[in-house]
Amino acid sequence: MKYPWLYLFLCVQTVALAQSKVDSLSQALLSAKEDSTKIDLLFELFFEHEYNDTLSSQQYLKESMRLATQSGDTKRLAKAQNYMGDLLLRMVHNDSAIYYYEKGFELSQQAHFPIGMITATIGIGNGYWQKGNYEKALAYQNKNIQLAQKYQDSLGLASSYNNIGNIYNEQGEFSKAMEYYIQSSNIYKKMGSLRNYGITLSNIGQVNFDLDNNELGIAYFKQSDSIFALSQFEDGQAYVQKSLAIALKRLGKYEESIAYNTSAFEYYKTMGNKRRMSEIEEVLGNTYLELKNKEVALSHYLKAVEFAEASEDSMAIATSRMKLGYLYLELKDLPKAKLHLEQSLALSQRVGVPLTTMDAYEALSRLYEQQNNFPKALESYRSYSELRDSLYTTEKRDLALEIEAKYQNKQKGEQIKLLETENSLNALQLQKRINERNGIIAFAILFLLIAGLLYAFYISKQKANGKLKELDQLKSHFFANISHEFRTPLTLIKGPIEKFENNPSEGLSLENAQMIHRNANRLLQLVNQLLELSKIDAGTLKLEPVEGDLFGHLRHIAFSFNALAVRNHIDYQVTIPKKNLWASFDKEKLENIVYNILSNAFKFTDKGGWIGCAVSLHEGQLRIQVEDSGCGIPPKDLPHIFERFYQVDSTQTRTQQGSGIGLSLCKDLVALLGGTITVTSTLQQGTTFTINLPITTVPEPKATVEEFPKVSATPTLEAPQVTPADQRNLPQILLVEDHDDMRQFVAEILLPSFRILSAQNGAIGIEMAHHYSPDLIITDLMMPTLDGMELCKSLKTNVHTSHIPIIMLTAKAGMENKIEGLETGADDYLIKPFEPEELLVRSKNLIAQRAQLRLAYQSKASGIDPKEITVNSLDAQFMEKLLELLEGHYEDATFGVPQMQDVLAMSKTQLYRKVKALTNETPGELLRNFRLKRAAQLLAQDSDSVTQIAYQVGFNNLSYFAKCFREYFGVSPSSYSTDSQ
């Protein structure tokens, strides 16, 4: 045997660890013949030891490298090199890790092994990041993005997005960091990669901490901590503890903060991660400094510098020396303070960390002032001010512009033409009468052709009737949509006002006032649009041209969509000449046209898509072209999209709502302006609208032209909101509603009395219902992806969820809609706008009814009809089957919950939730109490001795039987027998 020490080591490891998997792997390695099999087994052993025994992990990898080299297995050798890089990177041996990754990349190229190349490239980038070389780290992560896209590796792509977010976060580029973290989390969530998804959530939490959003950061970290616990990722939990400690310190909870930091430090000490140890020592120093204990703070800062230098982390060295310089400045030790601050400044400038550079300048300005070196103090303060303004003023301006753009977007909606329905119907009826009259005249004049003319008249009449029927259907659908659009804002206006009237002492919150304002504006817009529609129909809508900068006005309209594009991760490109074009044009009508077309493009373009808006001038004609990469329009629908009331998707699960008249209004307005509008579309590739309008140019005035707001090229992103877990001992309600304001309003009504879960559509609602098994579900009827009807049908026909009561909310007030909802299994039906108190009472009543049914089962009566404790046939069938099962096996002492699971074909969790929901007893309690009830029957009949009866009902232990019987009936078995007589 060439390496007897390795196999002796394996044997010792097998005995010491006493783990079945390690033992089996070691035994398999000893008996393996092929080198490839041995290498794979060594990899498995490496995975078992990588987090708890670095020495053993290195030995496994070295032996796998030797065997792979010996057998010429390039692919497995590349894997081993990359695994060694991973191990060394966790140990913060950055240069050694980069060396192994580079070898792994070369070998992966030779073996045509894409995953190996991607793993190595990510590792090299992370190695440079930990060394503080951000330029090289970014270069390697961007190189990997190209590789991952080329080989369609979603995991590698998400990893690089997350790593780039880390780099920008440390450089203080929080907007960029948040953008990359969100892209990464979306990919991980879609893949179902829990551990990595938790990492990105914790990184988003860290960005919130950096922005002083401590409560939001805590919420993110609690969510990621639960994910880490589920996936058993201890390294992630340690990172969460460290970050929670920082947040708690900011909130003034120092004892909790120190405890979390101490726990995290011990973990990183075990791992040998000096970089993280340095960070924790720095935070402990900050904590004790806030507690006015400068001596303890100084000791922690010194340790932070020591660990940072040991880890060769330039960023950590710069930060810890800056903190140490601050403290020496407080202690009036100016020479030491100057030494550390100058070193921090030089290092932070070299690695490009503007936040640390800014802090160092500010501290140096104070130091020079104390030394009476005022020129130096002024110079340092100016440098500090310039950095502060560039880092923060820009972010605040960008945020204000984004809020303004959002407000403008909400002021525009789909252009609705309600009155056109009546006019179109009248026109068709008039055409019908004309056709009838012409038929009679033709019959009188051309008597010889009467048969042919009668046939022609019949055909014409049938066509007219078909059009009338079609128009009636369109009209009905149109009014249903208009009803839905009016009822939702009315509910959101009426509800908060009624709540305020009933409880004036609570006042009206700013959030509710803003919601009322938004929805009032929405209603006002709808009314104004209907009035404008009537003017078009009556022919009284006139042009109102004004002179102005046409290109500037179009830029203003197009740029108002920037924030929406950033929020939806859409590549939005605007191409409008930068010069001025003075012309006479109708500003309002042009704005309506362009806004409708752009809104349409954003509605039907998914996240990650592309939208272009190009404006040009050709031979006295203004051309506006809007392209998108959305879902496209089916060829059969394309000729009809400019027709009034026509909708490509008229189902209850459509993603975008509206009345189907926005494009028709655009066409009418373009025609009023003397222009043309055309459309081309390809399914799954996109749609292009082209508008040509004649323009009349005018001389440019000498006065200052109207300035339009500038929109930042990189608007800030909004972080996803996370609601902390509600720990109150209250019933839980799942709220399924796609309208954000309505979901918030209903949750506000219910929150004092219930714990609230929320879902944005029916598909998510079904998943959450199976996972959480809430006490009640409240769902809207019309939602994207899966509507309320389908959700209700799915849950009520599934034995695992059929017991959950459901309340249906809808803006559809027709009796047929209510009957349809109740027929699908909904327990109650509420029409918008509704009274908040009514919703609260109905929710409480449904939950109370279920509780009463459970109490009915828990009565001491031995015989309960399943139909008396259930509300639907599926639950009754389940209880009948369950009680029949207990009746047939209660005498068998070996029969228990596992046997119940097998017979009912349900998992332990599913059985527990179902039985608990119906009887308020666990499966084990149900079986035990069933046996006790049978024993009580036998004792009442005095059919046998207490001992014999105990054995007859499945109890092998007489004392345990007596104990359970006394707890359940309040008397001993012998006393019960006597009392019964």
Short mmCIF file of all heavy atoms in Angstrom, two decimals, residues 54-99:
data_model
loop_
_atom_site.label_atom_id
_atom_site.label_comp_id
_atom_site.label_asym_id
_atom_site.label_seq_id
_atom_site.Cartn_x
_atom_site.Cartn_y
_atom_site.Cartn_z
N THR A 54 -10.72 21.11 9.22
CA THR A 54 -10.01 21.60 8.03
C THR A 54 -8.79 20.74 7.71
O THR A 54 -8.46 20.55 6.54
CB THR A 54 -9.58 23.05 8.24
OG1 THR A 54 -8.81 23.16 9.45
CG2 THR A 54 -10.78 23.96 8.36
N LEU A 55 -8.12 20.20 8.74
CA LEU A 55 -6.94 19.38 8.49
C LEU A 55 -7.32 18.11 7.73
O LEU A 55 -6.69 17.75 6.73
CB LEU A 55 -6.27 19.02 9.83
CG LEU A 55 -5.03 18.10 9.73
CD1 LEU A 55 -3.93 18.78 8.92
CD2 LEU A 55 -4.51 17.75 11.12
N SER A 56 -8.37 17.44 8.17
CA SER A 56 -8.82 16.24 7.48
C SER A 56 -9.27 16.57 6.07
O SER A 56 -8.99 15.84 5.11
CB SER A 56 -9.97 15.58 8.25
OG SER A 56 -9.56 15.22 9.55
N SER A 57 -9.98 17.69 5.90
CA SER A 57 -10.46 18.09 4.58
C SER A 57 -9.31 18.27 3.61
O SER A 57 -9.36 17.85 2.45
CB SER A 57 -11.25 19.40 4.69
OG SER A 57 -12.36 19.24 5.54
N GLN A 58 -8.21 18.92 4.08
CA GLN A 58 -7.04 19.12 3.21
C GLN A 58 -6.41 17.79 2.81
O GLN A 58 -6.00 17.60 1.66
CB GLN A 58 -6.01 20.01 3.91
CG GLN A 58 -6.43 21.48 3.97
CD GLN A 58 -5.41 22.33 4.70
OE1 GLN A 58 -5.05 22.05 5.84
NE2 GLN A 58 -4.92 23.35 4.04
N GLN A 59 -6.35 16.85 3.75
CA GLN A 59 -5.74 15.55 3.46
C GLN A 59 -6.56 14.79 2.40
O GLN A 59 -6.00 14.18 1.48
CB GLN A 59 -5.65 14.71 4.75
CG GLN A 59 -4.74 15.31 5.82
CD GLN A 59 -3.28 15.37 5.38
OE1 GLN A 59 -2.87 14.73 4.43
NE2 GLN A 59 -2.48 16.18 6.09
N TYR A 60 -7.89 14.85 2.50
CA TYR A 60 -8.73 14.18 1.51
C TYR A 60 -8.51 14.77 0.12
O TYR A 60 -8.42 14.04 -0.88
CB TYR A 60 -10.21 14.31 1.88
CG TYR A 60 -10.60 13.54 3.12
CD1 TYR A 60 -11.39 14.14 4.10
CD2 TYR A 60 -10.19 12.22 3.33
CE1 TYR A 60 -11.76 13.45 5.26
CE2 TYR A 60 -10.56 11.53 4.46
CZ TYR A 60 -11.33 12.15 5.43
OH TYR A 60 -11.70 11.46 6.55
N LEU A 61 -8.42 16.10 0.05
CA LEU A 61 -8.26 16.75 -1.25
C LEU A 61 -6.87 16.46 -1.85
O LEU A 61 -6.74 16.26 -3.05
CB LEU A 61 -8.48 18.26 -1.12
CG LEU A 61 -9.92 18.70 -0.84
CD1 LEU A 61 -10.01 20.21 -0.69
CD2 LEU A 61 -10.86 18.24 -1.95
N LYS A 62 -5.84 16.46 -1.02
CA LYS A 62 -4.49 16.17 -1.52
C LYS A 62 -4.41 14.75 -2.08
O LYS A 62 -3.80 14.51 -3.13
CB LYS A 62 -3.46 16.37 -0.41
CG LYS A 62 -3.22 17.83 -0.06
CD LYS A 62 -2.21 17.98 1.07
CE LYS A 62 -1.99 19.45 1.40
NZ LYS A 62 -1.03 19.63 2.54
N GLU A 63 -5.04 13.80 -1.40
CA GLU A 63 -5.03 12.43 -1.89
C GLU A 63 -5.83 12.31 -3.19
O GLU A 63 -5.44 11.59 -4.11
CB GLU A 63 -5.60 11.49 -0.82
CG GLU A 63 -5.73 10.01 -1.25
CD GLU A 63 -4.39 9.37 -1.58
OE1 GLU A 63 -3.34 10.01 -1.36
OE2 GLU A 63 -4.38 8.23 -2.08
N SER A 64 -6.96 13.05 -3.28
CA SER A 64 -7.75 13.01 -4.52
C SER A 64 -6.96 13.61 -5.68
O SER A 64 -7.03 13.13 -6.81
CB SER A 64 -9.07 13.75 -4.34
OG SER A 64 -8.86 15.14 -4.11
N MET A 65 -6.15 14.68 -5.40
CA MET A 65 -5.31 15.27 -6.44
C MET A 65 -4.26 14.26 -6.92
O MET A 65 -3.98 14.14 -8.13
CB MET A 65 -4.62 16.53 -5.91
CG MET A 65 -5.53 17.71 -5.67
SD MET A 65 -4.60 19.11 -5.00
CE MET A 65 -5.95 20.14 -4.41
N ARG A 66 -3.67 13.55 -5.97
CA ARG A 66 -2.63 12.56 -6.35
C ARG A 66 -3.21 11.48 -7.25
O ARG A 66 -2.65 11.13 -8.29
CB ARG A 66 -2.04 11.93 -5.09
CG ARG A 66 -0.89 10.95 -5.37
CD ARG A 66 -0.51 10.19 -4.11
NE ARG A 66 -1.55 9.26 -3.72
CZ ARG A 66 -1.74 8.07 -4.30
NH1 ARG A 66 -0.99 7.68 -5.32
NH2 ARG A 66 -2.72 7.27 -3.89
N LEU A 67 -4.39 10.94 -6.86
CA LEU A 67 -5.00 9.87 -7.65
C LEU A 67 -5.45 10.38 -9.02
O LEU A 67 -5.30 9.68 -10.03
CB LEU A 67 -6.22 9.31 -6.90
CG LEU A 67 -5.91 8.50 -5.63
CD1 LEU A 67 -7.19 8.14 -4.90
CD2 LEU A 67 -5.14 7.22 -5.98
N ALA A 68 -5.98 11.62 -9.08
CA ALA A 68 -6.42 12.17 -10.36
C ALA A 68 -5.24 12.41 -11.28
O ALA A 68 -5.31 12.16 -12.49
CB ALA A 68 -7.19 13.47 -10.13
N THR A 69 -4.12 12.89 -10.73
CA THR A 69 -2.91 13.10 -11.55
C THR A 69 -2.37 11.77 -12.05
O THR A 69 -1.98 11.62 -13.22
CB THR A 69 -1.83 13.82 -10.72
OG1 THR A 69 -2.37 15.05 -10.22
CG2 THR A 69 -0.60 14.12 -11.55
N GLN A 70 -2.37 10.78 -11.16
CA GLN A 70 -1.86 9.45 -11.50
C GLN A 70 -2.67 8.80 -12.62
O GLN A 70 -2.11 8.16 -13.52
CB GLN A 70 -1.89 8.58 -10.23
CG GLN A 70 -1.53 7.11 -10.43
CD GLN A 70 -1.65 6.35 -9.12
OE1 GLN A 70 -0.89 6.61 -8.19
NE2 GLN A 70 -2.57 5.42 -9.04
N SER A 71 -4.01 9.01 -12.59
CA SER A 71 -4.87 8.36 -13.59
C SER A 71 -5.15 9.25 -14.80
O SER A 71 -5.84 8.84 -15.73
CB SER A 71 -6.19 7.96 -12.94
OG SER A 71 -6.86 9.10 -12.44
N GLY A 72 -4.64 10.50 -14.78
CA GLY A 72 -4.86 11.40 -15.91
C GLY A 72 -6.29 11.90 -15.99
O GLY A 72 -6.76 12.27 -17.07
N ASP A 73 -7.00 11.95 -14.87
CA ASP A 73 -8.40 12.39 -14.84
C ASP A 73 -8.43 13.91 -14.63
O ASP A 73 -8.49 14.41 -13.51
CB ASP A 73 -9.14 11.67 -13.71
CG ASP A 73 -10.64 11.84 -13.80
OD1 ASP A 73 -11.07 12.83 -14.41
OD2 ASP A 73 -11.38 10.99 -13.27
N THR A 74 -8.39 14.65 -15.75
CA THR A 74 -8.27 16.11 -15.68
C THR A 74 -9.48 16.77 -15.03
O THR A 74 -9.37 17.72 -14.26
CB THR A 74 -8.06 16.69 -17.10
OG1 THR A 74 -6.99 16.00 -17.74
CG2 THR A 74 -7.74 18.18 -17.03
N LYS A 75 -10.66 16.25 -15.34
CA LYS A 75 -11.88 16.87 -14.82
C LYS A 75 -11.94 16.76 -13.29
O LYS A 75 -12.24 17.73 -12.60
CB LYS A 75 -13.10 16.19 -15.44
CG LYS A 75 -14.43 16.79 -15.02
CD LYS A 75 -15.58 16.13 -15.76
CE LYS A 75 -16.92 16.71 -15.31
NZ LYS A 75 -18.05 16.08 -16.03
N ARG A 76 -11.65 15.57 -12.76
CA ARG A 76 -11.69 15.41 -11.30
C ARG A 76 -10.55 16.18 -10.63
O ARG A 76 -10.69 16.68 -9.51
CB ARG A 76 -11.64 13.93 -10.94
CG ARG A 76 -12.96 13.19 -11.18
CD ARG A 76 -12.90 11.75 -10.71
NE ARG A 76 -14.21 11.12 -10.73
CZ ARG A 76 -14.74 10.54 -11.81
NH1 ARG A 76 -14.06 10.55 -12.95
NH2 ARG A 76 -15.95 9.99 -11.75
N LEU A 77 -9.40 16.29 -11.32
CA LEU A 77 -8.30 17.08 -10.77
C LEU A 77 -8.70 18.55 -10.67
O LEU A 77 -8.39 19.23 -9.69
CB LEU A 77 -7.05 16.93 -11.65
CG LEU A 77 -5.80 17.68 -11.17
CD1 LEU A 77 -5.40 17.25 -9.77
CD2 LEU A 77 -4.63 17.43 -12.14
N ALA A 78 -9.42 19.05 -11.70
CA ALA A 78 -9.90 20.42 -11.67
C ALA A 78 -10.86 20.64 -10.51
O ALA A 78 -10.81 21.66 -9.81
CB ALA A 78 -10.58 20.77 -12.99
N LYS A 79 -11.75 19.67 -10.29
CA LYS A 79 -12.68 19.76 -9.16
C LYS A 79 -11.92 19.86 -7.84
O LYS A 79 -12.25 20.68 -6.97
CB LYS A 79 -13.60 18.54 -9.13
CG LYS A 79 -14.77 18.58 -10.08
CD LYS A 79 -15.69 17.38 -9.81
CE LYS A 79 -16.90 17.38 -10.70
NZ LYS A 79 -17.79 16.23 -10.41
N ALA A 80 -10.92 19.00 -7.67
CA ALA A 80 -10.15 18.98 -6.42
C ALA A 80 -9.45 20.32 -6.18
O ALA A 80 -9.40 20.82 -5.05
CB ALA A 80 -9.13 17.84 -6.45
N GLN A 81 -8.88 20.90 -7.27
CA GLN A 81 -8.20 22.20 -7.14
C GLN A 81 -9.21 23.26 -6.68
O GLN A 81 -8.91 24.09 -5.81
CB GLN A 81 -7.59 22.60 -8.49
CG GLN A 81 -6.55 21.65 -9.03
CD GLN A 81 -5.21 21.78 -8.33
OE1 GLN A 81 -5.03 22.61 -7.45
NE2 GLN A 81 -4.25 20.94 -8.68
N ASN A 82 -10.41 23.26 -7.27
CA ASN A 82 -11.42 24.25 -6.90
C ASN A 82 -11.90 24.05 -5.47
O ASN A 82 -12.14 25.01 -4.73
CB ASN A 82 -12.61 24.19 -7.86
CG ASN A 82 -12.30 24.81 -9.21
OD1 ASN A 82 -11.40 25.65 -9.32
ND2 ASN A 82 -13.03 24.40 -10.23
N TYR A 83 -12.08 22.78 -5.05
CA TYR A 83 -12.49 22.51 -3.68
C TYR A 83 -11.44 23.00 -2.69
O TYR A 83 -11.76 23.55 -1.63
CB TYR A 83 -12.72 21.01 -3.47
CG TYR A 83 -13.93 20.44 -4.19
CD1 TYR A 83 -13.98 19.09 -4.56
CD2 TYR A 83 -15.01 21.25 -4.49
CE1 TYR A 83 -15.09 18.57 -5.22
CE2 TYR A 83 -16.12 20.74 -5.14
CZ TYR A 83 -16.15 19.40 -5.51
OH TYR A 83 -17.24 18.89 -6.16
N MET A 84 -10.16 22.84 -3.05
CA MET A 84 -9.08 23.33 -2.18
C MET A 84 -9.12 24.85 -2.10
O MET A 84 -8.91 25.44 -1.04
CB MET A 84 -7.72 22.86 -2.70
CG MET A 84 -6.56 23.25 -1.81
SD MET A 84 -6.60 22.45 -0.17
CE MET A 84 -5.88 20.84 -0.60
N GLY A 85 -9.41 25.50 -3.24
CA GLY A 85 -9.55 26.95 -3.24
C GLY A 85 -10.68 27.39 -2.32
O GLY A 85 -10.54 28.35 -1.56
N ASP A 86 -11.83 26.67 -2.37
CA ASP A 86 -12.96 27.00 -1.49
C ASP A 86 -12.56 26.91 -0.02
O ASP A 86 -12.89 27.78 0.79
CB ASP A 86 -14.13 26.04 -1.75
CG ASP A 86 -14.76 26.24 -3.11
OD1 ASP A 86 -14.55 27.31 -3.71
OD2 ASP A 86 -15.45 25.31 -3.58
N LEU A 87 -11.84 25.82 0.33
CA LEU A 87 -11.45 25.59 1.72
C LEU A 87 -10.50 26.69 2.20
O LEU A 87 -10.67 27.26 3.28
CB LEU A 87 -10.78 24.22 1.83
CG LEU A 87 -10.37 23.78 3.24
CD1 LEU A 87 -11.58 23.66 4.14
CD2 LEU A 87 -9.62 22.44 3.18
N LEU A 88 -9.49 27.03 1.36
CA LEU A 88 -8.51 28.04 1.75
C LEU A 88 -9.15 29.43 1.83
O LEU A 88 -8.74 30.27 2.64
CB LEU A 88 -7.34 28.04 0.77
CG LEU A 88 -6.47 26.76 0.80
CD1 LEU A 88 -5.49 26.76 -0.36
CD2 LEU A 88 -5.70 26.67 2.13
N LEU A 89 -10.14 29.69 0.99
CA LEU A 89 -10.82 30.98 1.01
C LEU A 89 -11.59 31.15 2.32
O LEU A 89 -11.60 32.23 2.90
CB LEU A 89 -11.78 31.07 -0.18
CG LEU A 89 -12.25 32.48 -0.55
CD1 LEU A 89 -11.08 33.36 -0.98
CD2 LEU A 89 -13.28 32.42 -1.67
N ARG A 90 -12.23 30.07 2.80
CA ARG A 90 -12.93 30.15 4.08
C ARG A 90 -11.94 30.36 5.23
O ARG A 90 -12.30 30.95 6.25
CB ARG A 90 -13.75 28.87 4.32
CG ARG A 90 -15.08 28.86 3.61
CD ARG A 90 -15.99 27.78 4.17
NE ARG A 90 -15.44 26.45 3.96
CZ ARG A 90 -15.61 25.74 2.85
NH1 ARG A 90 -16.31 26.24 1.86
NH2 ARG A 90 -15.09 24.55 2.73
N MET A 91 -10.72 29.85 5.05
CA MET A 91 -9.69 30.03 6.08
C MET A 91 -8.97 31.38 5.93
O MET A 91 -8.04 31.68 6.66
CB MET A 91 -8.68 28.88 5.99
CG MET A 91 -9.28 27.51 6.26
SD MET A 91 -8.17 26.15 5.83
CE MET A 91 -6.86 26.43 7.02
N VAL A 92 -9.39 32.19 4.95
CA VAL A 92 -8.84 33.51 4.65
C VAL A 92 -7.36 33.42 4.26
O VAL A 92 -6.57 34.32 4.54
CB VAL A 92 -9.06 34.51 5.81
CG1 VAL A 92 -9.00 35.95 5.31
CG2 VAL A 92 -10.39 34.29 6.50
N HIS A 93 -6.98 32.32 3.61
CA HIS A 93 -5.65 32.21 3.00
C HIS A 93 -5.82 32.59 1.53
O HIS A 93 -5.85 31.74 0.63
CB HIS A 93 -5.11 30.79 3.15
CG HIS A 93 -4.89 30.39 4.57
ND1 HIS A 93 -4.72 29.08 4.98
CD2 HIS A 93 -4.83 31.13 5.72
CE1 HIS A 93 -4.55 29.02 6.29
NE2 HIS A 93 -4.62 30.26 6.76
N ASN A 94 -5.96 33.93 1.29
CA ASN A 94 -6.44 34.40 0.00
C ASN A 94 -5.49 34.09 -1.16
O ASN A 94 -5.93 33.65 -2.22
CB ASN A 94 -6.70 35.90 0.06
CG ASN A 94 -7.74 36.25 1.10
OD1 ASN A 94 -8.74 35.55 1.24
ND2 ASN A 94 -7.52 37.30 1.87
N ASP A 95 -4.19 34.33 -0.97
CA ASP A 95 -3.24 34.10 -2.06
C ASP A 95 -3.18 32.63 -2.44
O ASP A 95 -3.15 32.28 -3.63
CB ASP A 95 -1.84 34.60 -1.66
CG ASP A 95 -1.80 36.12 -1.56
OD1 ASP A 95 -2.54 36.78 -2.34
OD2 ASP A 95 -1.04 36.65 -0.74
N SER A 96 -3.18 31.75 -1.45
CA SER A 96 -3.16 30.31 -1.74
C SER A 96 -4.44 29.88 -2.43
O SER A 96 -4.43 29.06 -3.36
CB SER A 96 -2.98 29.52 -0.43
OG SER A 96 -1.76 29.84 0.20
N ALA A 97 -5.56 30.43 -2.00
CA ALA A 97 -6.83 30.09 -2.63
C ALA A 97 -6.84 30.50 -4.09
O ALA A 97 -7.27 29.73 -4.97
CB ALA A 97 -7.98 30.77 -1.89
N ILE A 98 -6.35 31.72 -4.39
CA ILE A 98 -6.31 32.19 -5.78
C ILE A 98 -5.43 31.27 -6.63
O ILE A 98 -5.75 30.95 -7.78
CB ILE A 98 -5.81 33.64 -5.83
CG1 ILE A 98 -6.87 34.57 -5.21
CG2 ILE A 98 -5.49 34.08 -7.26
CD1 ILE A 98 -6.40 36.00 -5.02
N TYR A 99 -4.31 30.81 -6.06
CA TYR A 99 -3.40 29.92 -6.78
C TYR A 99 -4.12 28.63 -7.20
O TYR A 99 -4.06 28.18 -8.35
CB TYR A 99 -2.21 29.60 -5.88
CG TYR A 99 -1.35 28.44 -6.39
CD1 TYR A 99 -0.46 28.60 -7.43
CD2 TYR A 99 -1.47 27.17 -5.80
CE1 TYR A 99 0.32 27.54 -7.89
CE2 TYR A 99 -0.71 26.11 -6.24
CZ TYR A 99 0.19 26.29 -7.29
OH TYR A 99 0.94 25.24 -7.76
#
